[in-house]
Amino acid sequence: MSNGILVFIEHKAGALNKTSLEAIAAAQQLASGSGEKPAAVVLGSGTASLAQEIAAYDLAKIIHVDDAKLADYTPDAYANAMEQVVRAAAPQYVIMSHTYLVRDFGPKLAARFGKGMISDCIRMRSDGGKLTLTRRIFLGKMDADIVSDAEAPLFITFQSGAFRGEQAVKGTGTSVEEMSVEVGEVRMQPEAPFQEVKQAVDLSKADVIVAIGRGIKSKDNIALAEKLAEVLGGDLAASRPICDAEWLPIDRQIGSSGQTVAPKLYVAVGISGAIQHLVGMKNSQTIVAINKDPEAPIFDIADYGIVGDLFEVLPVLTEEIKKLKS
């Protein structure tokens, strides 16, 4: 597969991380016009059904590595296994989602090839065979274009929401090839997850998010946003000041020091739009902003804006949505 593309498929205990579909979409776009299809790699133990699930997409092949040492994620085991897969496949590009897991083992993997990793990219373009990648710097205040003249493989991660999972093209007849690797010594052993993890909210999987900011004024007023989130079938989130005040738990914080999300609908309620918040949600498919300040920065990126008192707007908006659903 020389000069091809290899996509890393992330999962947890065989359950697909949806950002991997975004990585497939990115790889398919990169491959378009070349006449080649990307390949994908699934690492794990007892993950044959996941490999078959990925085989439903328009890919050259699925490389499935099944090893007991890959049952639980460790950077040692994943880097060891992926190194062997990459050397055998000899791709020009290795495409991954910019998740916590990839941020952990990805640089370790790239270093074994004497490479760096071009991480957290938001878009790409190819001109005359030269690939230009764009990533945000200075907390999203500037975009930087990166062109690498390094020899293959090139390790690239894309920010959640840079591509849409539904853009990944389905196909038929994609084969699953089993590959054996020598994982070797695994020095790191995962411990039991923290108890809080069981209650944590993964907002990156939400299709609809209603987020509140300082404009909500008091904890008692959060109920207004909760009712809107309920009728929309969405999740409640917040900007940092709300979580700092302990009005909502930290796992609902959006922004540079919280979660990065890209839902189909993001409703920003009483959020001014500080850059630290925007970097965590600006890739949302549709953004609706509600703020009484017409000069609030959130309106610069909003698809729809409502300039008004949120205490008047939210009840009316909630009731109108109820009527549409009835």
Side-chain angles (χ1 to χ4, degrees):
M1 201 190 70
S2 180
N3 296 322
I5 303 167
L6 182 66
V7 186
F8 171 71
I9 303 299
E10 183 177 331
H11 65 93
K12 184 175 182 180
L16 177 67
N17 185 326
K18 75 169 188 177
T19 60
S20 292
L21 299 182
E22 298 175 14
I24 290 175
Q28 288 175 331
Q29 179 177 314
L30 181 56
S32 63
S34 69
E36 295 186 10
K37 296 180 181 181
V41 55
V42 175
L43 307 180
S45 179
T47 47
S49 60
L50 175 61
Q52 288 297 333
E53 180 182 347
I54 300 303
Y57 290 86
D58 191 26
L59 299 164
K61 62 180 177 181
I62 313 299
I63 301 171
H64 181 220
V65 179
D66 192 304
D67 192 290
K69 292 182 179 179
L70 299 170
D72 294 313
Y73 165 76
T74 60
D76 273 354
Y78 267 54
N80 290 348
M82 273 296 288
E83 179 185 2
Q84 294 171 66
V85 172
V86 173
R87 293 194 187 281
Q92 184 174 1
Y93 303 107
V94 179
I95 305 295
M96 301 177 281
S97 298
H98 193 70
T99 61
Y100 286 114
L101 185 145
V102 170
R103 276 184 267 183
D104 189 38
F105 89 90
K108 182 183 181 77
L109 171 65
R112 295 188 178 187
F113 291 83
K115 310 287 185 181
M117 190 169 73
I118 304 177
S119 61
D120 211 16
C121 299
I122 58 170
R123 59 180 175 268
M124 65 181 170
R125 68 178 186 273
S126 183
D127 184 16
K130 179 177 289 187
L131 180 65
T132 300
L133 297 155
T134 302
R135 62 190 305 273
R136 293 206 163 103
I137 57 176
F138 301 121
L139 288 177
K141 293 180 181 178
M142 296 180 66
D143 287 353
D145 286 344
I146 299 171
V147 178
S148 175
D149 57 2
E151 295 182 359
L154 193 63
F155 296 88
I156 305 168
T157 71
F158 284 99
Q159 188 178 107
S160 174
F163 293 85
R164 311 296 310 181
E166 57 264 29
Q167 292 175 336
V169 179
K170 293 281 186 85
T172 57
T174 303
S175 62
V176 177
E177 298 183 7
E178 301 294 332
M179 179 177 174
S180 297
V181 300
E182 181 56 51
V183 175
E185 180 186 3
V186 179
R187 297 168 298 170
M188 304 177 186
Q189 297 298 327
E191 295 186 357
F194 290 109
Q195 184 69 25
E196 290 82 359
V197 171
K198 295 181 180 178
Q199 301 172 350
V201 178
D202 185 1
L203 294 172
S204 67
K205 296 179 180 178
D207 286 331
V208 178
I209 292 175
V210 176
I212 56 174
R214 293 179 189 271
I216 205 72
K217 292 186 178 179
S218 77
K219 187 175 183 178
D220 293 338
N221 295 327
I222 293 177
L224 292 172
E226 285 179 323
K227 290 177 182 177
L228 177 60
E230 184 180 349
V231 298
L232 289 172
D235 287 292
L236 189 67
S239 60
R240 181 171 179 169
I242 301 300
C243 296
D244 284 349
E246 298 184 352
W247 293 355
L248 285 177
I250 194 68
D251 58 14
R252 292 188 181 272
Q253 181 178 320
I254 303 295
S256 58
S257 54
Q259 296 195 49
T260 298
V261 299
K264 293 180 180 178
L265 174 63
Y266 190 93
V267 183
V269 179
I271 292 174
S272 63
I275 189 64
Q276 291 86 350
H277 183 78
L278 297 186
V279 297
M281 47 66 72
K282 66 194 313 180
N283 287 325
S284 302
Q285 190 169 338
T286 301
I287 299 171
V288 177
I290 303 171
N291 201 296
K292 65 180 180 180
D293 178 9
E295 301 300 321
I298 191 69
F299 288 122
D300 292 338
I301 66 165
D303 297 287
Y304 301 95
I306 301 175
V307 178
D309 188 333
L310 69 88
F311 301 107
E312 297 177 3
V313 172
L314 286 184
V316 174
L317 186 59
T318 301
E319 287 304 313
E320 290 301 318
I321 294 172
K322 282 183 180 179
K323 290 178 184 178
L324 290 174
K325 287 192 168 186
S326 61

